[in-house]
Amino acid sequence: MHTLLVTLLSLTFFQQVATDTDSSRVVVYPATTKIEVNNSTRLTIVKEVYNVGGKDLSRARIRWFSSDSDVATVDSTGKVSAQSPGEVRIVAVVDGQPGFAMVTVPQLPPALIRLTAETTEIFKGTGAPVAAVVKNRLGQVLPDEAVGFTTSNPDIASVDRNGRVTGYREGNVRIQGTAGTVASTIDLRVVPNPAASYEVVGLTSVKTGDVLRLRVKGLSIDGQEVYGFTPSWSVDSYGGWMETDGEEGVFVAEQPGSYTITAVVGPQNVLLHHVEVSARHYTQELVKVGRGGIANHHSGDTWVFEGVDGRDYAYVGTFLYDWMKVFDVTDPENPILTDSLQMDARRINDVKIHPNNRIGIATREGASNRKNGIVLLDLSSPSHPTVLSEYTETVTGGVHNTWIDGENNLVYAVNDGTRDIHIIDISNPKKPKEVGRWGLDKENKSLHDVIVQDGYAYLSYWNDGLVTLDVGAGTHGGTPTEPKFVSQIIFDTPNAHVAWRYGRYVFVGDEIFPPRWNADQPIEASGYIHIVDMSDMDNPIEVGRYEVPEAGAHNIWADDDKLYVGYYQGGLRVVDISGELRGNLYRQGREISSYKTTDHMTTTPNWPMTWGAQLFKGNIYTSDLNSGLWILKLVDRQVP
């Protein structure tokens, strides 16, 4: 949440400047302007109020700021340089008095169009889609750019405005797609159709949230099966949706009921497929097992482990405070606070424990001496941990989150200063040293979290989405100390905050706070969980989401086909992630249970801010920003 705080403070400032025109004492000219990408213009101060409060501002230093340097940058002279399409607010501050201008960088025209098809051979009397990808000269995809399609021979095949080609007689045909002044073609062939009849193949009974894959099978006159058809799919009712995936139609329902699915094979072949959808039902619920109340300050992350003494412990960080709390949770119904380890910090956001359970890592931000970094803990007496060493040399700007690679004795640390991953060798825990680092090659970036699983590091890079690195998987030449880039996916909603890999999917959580918030007041967070299919590591695809409308996502954990989400004011949520996932899991009824983590021992009454979840010995451990440690369990619901 450190990066969130900086972002929100900046946004609040820009919004205040934007709306407070009457009180602005500095006027920037021009107030609005357009600049093409790679061009620049200079803004000037044309009017200042002098002697404000008896102070002469005529020679005051002007400071210039850009609200989004990915769109446009501004230097100390007011020169604005356009980087990429979008809108940006430029702020000039003279002795604390702001003036502003709005700069628009227009979208670049199409520079490239590429046509693709699932198949280059179309059976006579059937159809197939042609897809168009349009990009500008920066390589940015223009998804809303209009594309016009034409055919070289309408007697052989036609093409509609959506790019669907229908074959009428055998022969070769060329399809052209045009966007702006650029064009591209693809050659197709209409071939003999051995099918005399057709039918839809697939289940007729599913539950909400089940991904139903359908195909069209043809039968020849002699009864031979024929495949290779790419129909146009649709569904008749609200509450369910269809999409095409190669030759398959993919259907998912959010509401129970009867659905009729239509598959248009060709002008003369329209098939209907009826599906009955029933509601999902779960027989488990979350119940409280134990409680480690902390009501005198805000809590941070928690980590649970079995100590070298054979007892179980939960370490809890703090927010805007300088203690790490130590709980003995051997009896999870009765946690006992055994120690509070004080550190020079305004925030101990993250706590991680080495798999050997002998070394702990606590992150540090806001130290009074401005030397932040990480603190290594000696856990030989886990009920009373002591500081073993510190590492601040290259991460003094602060560390927000870490991940421990126990096999290689490495710590992957998120550096608040560089916004890079710093790799720290702790094989000698008394003398940690940096042995590698990796970061996006750009100036304006914000890295929030890292997790390492099966040789891949998943970096939650805020506005730059999810970045995956090879750190020993062996697929892209990376090693634990020399990461190699694998892929990146950027989301429509920014604020990529945390990630967790489970099976073929990576679950990526947003973190979005309102422009003005107070840790001692109820916070209306928002944001959801993105579901990314990583079947092709080089080409991640967002296929679904889990979105609780009234709350905001935070940290996550996954195990046994269940996703555990600390959903801030929405409490702890448990979600069924079995099978294939598509669409919005919340609306599909895949939520198994939820629990609001709030009681009388809280800094903010009746307002949960659930941090995350960790599974340990059959229980679920979480901390709450407002109320400390919670221990829950998923049990069979008692039927009266």
Side-chain angles (χ1 to χ4, degrees), residues 244-316:
T244 300
D245 186 2
E247 296 180 7
E248 296 180 320
V250 181
F251 170 72
V252 182
E254 295 176 346
Q255 300 293 329
S258 299
Y259 294 84
T260 299
I261 295 170
T262 302
V264 179
V265 182
Q268 307 301 319
N269 299 289
V270 179
L271 310 177
L272 301 180
H273 185 77
H274 301 286
V275 180
E276 292 294 325
V277 179
S278 58
R280 304 181 82 89
H281 292 291
Y282 298 102
T283 60
Q284 292 179 298
E285 63 180 348
L286 287 167
V287 298
K288 185 177 78 172
V289 175
R291 184 78 171 82
I294 303 174
N296 59 344
H297 61 76
H298 297 288
S299 297
D301 198 14
T302 186
W303 196 266
V304 192
F305 66 103
E306 181 179 318
V308 293
D309 59 0
R311 300 185 67 81
D312 298 331
Y313 296 92
Y315 288 2
V316 183

Side-chain angles (χ1 to χ4, degrees), residues 286-305 313-317 325-329 331-337 564-573 594-616 618-634:
L286 287 167
V287 298
K288 185 177 78 172
V289 175
R291 184 78 171 82
I294 303 174
N296 59 344
H297 61 76
H298 297 288
S299 297
D301 198 14
T302 186
W303 196 266
V304 192
F305 66 103
Y313 296 92
Y315 288 2
V316 183
K325 301 296 183 180
V326 178
F327 285 94
D328 184 322
V329 293
D331 177 2
E333 295 183 8
N334 298 288
I336 300 171
L337 182 66
Y564 299 82
V565 186
Y567 226 106
Y568 273 146
Q569 72 269 38
L572 180 68
R573 325 289 285 213
S594 64
Y595 189 97
K596 297 292 185 70
T597 54
T598 189
D599 57 18
H600 66 285
M601 294 183 291
T602 176
T603 61
T604 306
N606 304 314
W607 196 264
M609 286 296 281
T610 312
W611 194 272
Q614 180 187 350
L615 272 63
F616 183 77
N619 294 314
I620 307 160
Y621 289 77
T622 184
S623 54
D624 186 291
L625 180 71
N626 296 329
S627 56
L629 179 66
W630 290 77
I631 306 172
L632 307 172
K633 193 178 187 69
L634 191 64

